[in-house]
Amino acid sequence: MEMFRIRNPKKRRHMPTAAILLLSSFLVASVPAALAEEEAETQQERSFDNLVAVEGAAVNMAYIDPDADFSVFKRVAILDPLVAFRSNWQRDQNRGRSRNISNRDMERIKEDVGTQFERVFAERLEAAGYEVVDVAGDDVLVLRPAIIDLDITAPDTRTPGRSRTFTASTGAATLYMQLFDSVSGDIIGRAADRRAVRSGAGSISWSSSVTNTAEARRMFGRWADTLITFLDSHYK
């Protein structure tokens, strides 16, 4: 065919065989290397559970599945929170003090903290238009929270007498939360955030179980609002 005819054979130049072999070897070696490098970069961006870091997150650490469609979630299921004290908290509270915090006290406090967390999150989510449920569904996002490294300043042991603790801080805790698709069971997000609650600008206040509960609810409320902002602003 005319279009494939070589019009000026005399001007056609042949590349030496050695050069062709060298060029072929270079291409064969470089293409897989480039693909491997690109794949390595992609793998670096993903975490062990196939999530990627959220830049500029409102919490200390946040990862999400970039392929997940968060806009489908209109309802939320909250699993029972795991609550754990900081290391040696019980020993430190009992050392040199009149109070005696027992293992039973520890369990009661953890139950109270978990209950307050669920209540606050349910209240805030429902106020924002998200129905809180206990069933799975295509539009249900599952929250698996853990409140760890819990440090309470003045726990209420419900013992006779009145104990006063004057302090500039009423406690601290770290929230570690995982987000799951309720149908597939896939993890599609996780976050962690450490917060310390203080009584005021350098002031010293009388901490009690009442003030601790109020401060804990405020802390949980801020975490709930952060989650709601994430769902509303980025994926609705």
Side-chain angles (χ1 to χ4, degrees), residues 102-148:
S102 65
N103 292 338
R104 188 173 181 179
D105 291 327
M106 297 273 286
E107 292 304 315
R108 180 184 55 78
I109 293 171
K110 288 193 290 186
E111 183 178 348
D112 290 346
V113 169
T115 298
Q116 291 298 330
F117 180 91
E118 288 186 86
R119 285 178 180 173
V120 171
F121 261 69
E123 292 168 1
R124 297 294 179 98
L125 284 165
E126 289 177 344
Y130 293 92
E131 183 183 356
V132 177
V133 298
D134 57 1
V135 295
D138 292 336
D139 63 343
V140 177
L141 175 68
V142 176
L143 308 183
R144 177 179 286 173
I147 303 164
I148 59 178

Side-chain angles (χ1 to χ4, degrees), residues 182-201:
S182 68
V183 175
S184 68
D186 287 342
I187 182 170
I188 56 177
R190 57 184 166 85
D193 192 49
R194 176 73 174 172
R195 290 186 183 271
V197 179
R198 299 199 173 275
S199 57

Side-chain angles (χ1 to χ4, degrees), residues 9 12 24 26 40 79 84-85 88 92 101 119 130 132 138 145 169 173 185 203 209 216 220 233 236:
R12 187 180 182 190
S24 299
F26 173 79
L79 302 183
F85 285 89
N88 295 322
D92 293 342
I101 298 176
R119 285 178 180 173
Y130 293 92
V132 177
D138 292 336
S169 175
S203 62
S209 61
F220 299 156
S233 301
K236 252 190 176 181

